[in-house]
Amino acid sequence: MNQKNSPIGMIDSGLGGLSLFKHIRQALPNEDIIYFADSKYVPYGDKESDWIVSRTTHLIANLVNHGKCKAIVIACNTMTAVAIETIRAQMNVPLIAIEPAVKPAVTITQSKHIAVLATATTVKGKNLKNLIETYAQDIKVSLVPCIGLAEKIENGKAHTAEVKDYLNNILAPLVEQKVDTIILGCTHYPFVSNTIQDIVGHDIQIIEPSEAVTAQLIRQLNQYHLSSERPNEGSHIIWTSSDPLKVADVTFSLLGTHLPVETTGF
Ligand code: DGL
């Protein structure tokens, strides 16, 4: 079957992965995209690994079977942290997974002290440990679990005083300890990167891997001859396991554009 004009599937626990969706939509304007937000169960950051593995596998199978997706982008560091090996072993579809940008941070840092902001599950996970062992052996890496931050962003609070206070508390020690590079290791956090930059000042670089992941997606589509041949713009839709009206509202507050939202049974 010719799958070139089939959609790309994206998946996150909620709407954080829209930070990556923005880059992909811009780089690949003629691709259809189905974005799945598992809003009923967000946040994943405090869930058991076994649950995340089986839920993620189930959702990806549905994107492939019902959505006819030709490739899947895991737009959630927490899913990658605990489920990527199982998913790669079980799924016969091109998979592109986001993970904290440790390697680029190591090439940037001058102070040799970097920090990763992520969910508790990502911070504890084997994936991040491996990245640090592989790329950051001579570097000090502060791991900062941001408990509750993704949930606040998911609830439309990205630009509130509550989030600013929260970030002030988390970031003050990093500035004091001369961290010069901060990795956003959760796809929700780019939506507060301006606030983070204001707090830490412009001597500290904030990085996140959306561009690299988009480049990797383009490489895989080319490699498997799956790039869309449609001359016109692709269509975009959000599927959610929860209330479509709330999801549509928060989507608009994060992206500044409206996207159609449908509730699915899975
Ligand atoms: N956006 C997700 C990530 O990149 C997870 C947030 C959550 O559900 O806890 O890790």
Side-chain angles (χ1 to χ4, degrees):
M1 195 183 74
N2 184 353
Q3 286 192 296
K4 286 177 189 279
N5 293 341
S6 302
I8 293 166
M10 296 186 66
I11 181 167
D12 181 32
S13 58
L15 295 168
L18 291 176
S19 59
L20 176 56
F21 166 84
K22 272 203 299 193
H23 287 260
I24 292 177
R25 177 177 62 178
Q26 202 184 359
L28 297 168
N30 61 345
E31 294 286 352
D32 285 355
I33 301 175
I34 301 175
Y35 178 102
F36 189 90
D38 198 12
S39 319
K40 186 172 173 185
Y41 296 107
V42 69
Y44 275 24
D46 56 8
K47 302 251 183 325
E48 291 297 322
S49 296
D50 287 354
W51 182 90
I52 296 173
V53 173
S54 72
R55 180 77 184 151
T56 304
T57 314
H58 166 76
L59 294 174
I60 292 177
N62 275 297
L63 279 170
V64 173
N65 296 332
H66 295 288
K68 304 282 172 246
C69 292
K70 61 184 175 186
I72 300 292
V73 178
I74 300 180
C76 177
N77 293 267
T78 308
M79 289 175 180
T80 306
V82 295
I84 192 63
E85 282 165 15
T86 311
I87 299 165
R88 284 204 195 283
Q90 289 184 10
M91 299 282 157
N92 189 19
V93 62
L95 274 175
I96 299 89
I98 199 161
E99 62 187 10
V102 173
K103 190 179 173 191
V106 169
T107 65
I108 291 171
T109 181
Q110 300 285 319
S111 67
K112 305 288 175 211
H113 188 177
I114 66 176
V116 183
L117 310 188
T119 66
T121 306
T122 300
V123 163
K124 279 186 285 182
K126 221 171 41 185
N127 191 61
L128 183 55
K129 194 166 170 266
N130 287 343
L131 285 173
I132 292 169
E133 274 170 16
T134 310
Y135 299 113
Q137 271 188 5
D138 306 326
I139 304 277
K140 183 164 179 205
V141 185
S142 293
L143 301 178
V144 186
C146 300
I147 317 273
L149 180 56
E151 206 174 352
K152 291 183 204 297
I153 296 166
E154 190 72 23
N155 287 325
K157 293 182 178 169
H159 305 297
T160 59
E162 179 183 333
V163 163
K164 200 169 176 193
D165 287 348
Y166 178 99
L167 289 169
N168 263 319
N169 285 332
I170 290 230
L171 297 166
L174 303 179
V175 176
E176 217 164 276
Q177 292 161 29
K178 304 271 182 285
V179 164
D180 71 352
T181 310
I182 295 178
I183 299 167
L184 304 183
C186 167
T187 51
H188 282 75
Y189 304 167
F191 290 111
V192 293
S193 67
N194 288 344
T195 312
I196 295 175
Q197 193 82 69
D198 286 346
I199 293 170
V200 299
H202 286 272
D203 291 341
I204 297 184
Q205 297 222 45
I206 299 168
I207 62 170
E208 58 92 16
S210 290
E211 263 179 44
V213 175
T214 303
Q216 173 66 2
L217 169 63
I218 293 170
R219 274 195 295 276
Q220 293 239 12
L221 293 178
N222 287 336
Q223 182 184 341
Y224 294 106
H225 308 289
L226 287 173
S227 299
S228 166
E229 290 175 330
R230 191 182 297 104
N232 52 325
E233 251 190 57
S235 68
H236 308 126
I237 187 166
I238 297 187
W239 285 0
T240 179
S241 49
S242 178
D243 174 11
L245 293 179
K246 184 183 168 211
V247 168
D249 272 0
V250 178
T251 298
F252 182 69
S253 79
L254 294 175
L255 283 184
T257 50
H258 290 287
L259 288 181
V261 180
E262 267 175 24
T263 301
T264 66
F266 39 87

